[in-house]
């Protein structure tokens, strides 16, 4: 049983790449098919650029980003066609991971298990519907477009920590991108580079619920 006189501990689970699988290549293939173009050409044109980052911070509206995407890819597609491709990237969840996140051994170590995601309003609305049966294993999900900041920036993690009445030193992050876990570690956050549920389970066992996570 977690003591009530110590800082709240929160497990942060990255959404895309951990909670569910995805491949952005599916979007490029869908747009190429709809536009009658070679997918390789679209892959050469595609960039994670300033408008993409702004969209993930919620700074521009979907119509503005889709117009930029149309110009970037040089495709004559409607907003509806672009959005359909945009949301074609999702795969599946792993039942073993879902079971782990719900397990008493994990819940006994944390006051909350929450999702964290660099995402945008179009993607988030779609995957919230797509994975509506799986999402309840999480207490809540924190999205970059709602926060106005992205992982692995300190502003993102401090927002999440404040939402759970704790500090970043009492967060534990699970993410599939090494640059993110490395940056989180530099911020004083314990971080696990996700590979599979078994490796995560082994890592979480090392976190003693009787001691501080920092």
């Amino acid at each position: 049983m977690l003591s009530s006189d110590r800082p709240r501990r929160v497990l942060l689970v990255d959404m895309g790449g951990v909670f569910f699988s995805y491949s952005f290549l599916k979007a490029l293939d869908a747009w190429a098919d709809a536009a009658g173009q070679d997918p390789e050409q679209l892959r050469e044109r595609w960039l994670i650029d300033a408008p993409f980052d702004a969209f993930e911070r919620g700074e521009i509206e979907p119509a503005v980003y889709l117009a930029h995407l149309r110009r970037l890819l040089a495709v004559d597609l409607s907003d509806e066609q672009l959005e359909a491709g945009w949301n074609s990237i999702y795969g599946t969840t792993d039942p073993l991971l879902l079971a782990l996140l719900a397990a008493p051994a994990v819940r006994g170590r944390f006051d909350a298990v929450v999702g964290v995601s660099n995402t945008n309003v179009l993607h988030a609305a779609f995957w919230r519907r797509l994975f509506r049966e799986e999402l309840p294993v999480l207490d809540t999900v924190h999205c970059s477009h709602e926060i106005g900041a992205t992982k692995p920036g300190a502003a993102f993690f401090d927002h999440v920590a404040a939402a759970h009445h704790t500090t970043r030193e009492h967060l534990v992050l699970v993410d599939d991108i090494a640059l993110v876990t490395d940056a989180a570690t530099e911020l004083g956050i314990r971080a696990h580079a996700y590979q599979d549920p078994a490796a995560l389970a082994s890592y979480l066992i090392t976190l003693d619920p009787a001691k501080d996570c920092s």
Side-chain angles (χ1 to χ4, degrees):
M1 177 72 72
L2 292 172
S3 171
S4 60
D5 60 356
R6 49 91 193 128
R8 287 175 55 82
R9 303 188 184 108
V10 183
L11 179 64
L12 312 184
V13 181
D14 178 43
M15 298 303 289
V18 179
F19 192 82
F20 51 72
S21 62
Y22 76 98
S23 172
F24 203 81
L25 294 179
K26 292 180 180 179
L28 294 169
D29 289 343
W31 291 326
D33 183 64
Q37 294 195 24
D38 183 349
E40 288 300 323
Q41 292 182 332
L42 269 60
R43 292 174 189 179
E44 291 175 1
R45 297 169 191 158
W46 163 252
L47 293 172
I48 296 178
D49 53 12
F52 179 95
D53 291 338
F55 194 31
E56 290 206 327
R57 292 191 299 268
E59 296 170 356
I60 60 177
E61 295 298 318
V64 175
Y65 182 72
L66 292 178
H68 165 74
L69 191 60
R70 186 180 294 111
R71 292 190 297 270
L72 176 68
L73 299 177
V75 291
D76 183 18
L77 298 176
S78 66
D79 282 2
E80 291 74 19
Q81 289 172 310
L82 288 170
E83 185 174 346
W86 188 245
N87 288 328
S88 69
I89 66 175
Y90 298 103
T92 61
T93 57
D94 186 334
L96 294 178
L97 176 66
L98 299 181
L100 175 64
L101 297 179
V106 172
R107 289 291 174 163
R109 286 174 165 80
F110 297 97
D111 297 278
V113 176
V114 306
V116 290
S117 182
N118 285 350
T119 189
N120 56 79
V121 63
L122 292 180
H123 274 164
F126 186 85
W127 54 250
R128 285 182 186 277
R129 294 192 302 271
L130 183 63
F131 300 110
R132 60 187 176 275
E133 294 184 0
E134 294 86 354
L135 283 170
V137 74
L138 301 172
D139 296 304
T140 190
V141 180
H142 299 279
C143 297
S144 61
H145 71 284
E146 297 168 338
I147 295 173
T150 54
K151 299 185 281 111
F156 181 96
F157 293 118
D158 287 344
H159 177 97
V160 173
H164 295 277
H165 309 289
T166 190
T167 61
R168 70 172 78 147
E169 292 78 11
H170 306 296
L171 305 176
V172 176
L173 173 67
V174 180
D175 201 291
D176 64 312
I177 299 177
L179 287 175
V180 174
T181 55
D182 289 346
T185 300
E186 290 294 320
L187 291 172
I189 298 168
R190 297 186 79 169
H192 172 74
Y194 184 76
Q195 295 178 317
D196 56 56
L200 175 59
S202 296
Y203 170 76
L204 293 178
I205 288 172
T206 70
L207 303 178
D208 187 345
K211 297 179 180 179
D212 183 57
C213 282
S214 60

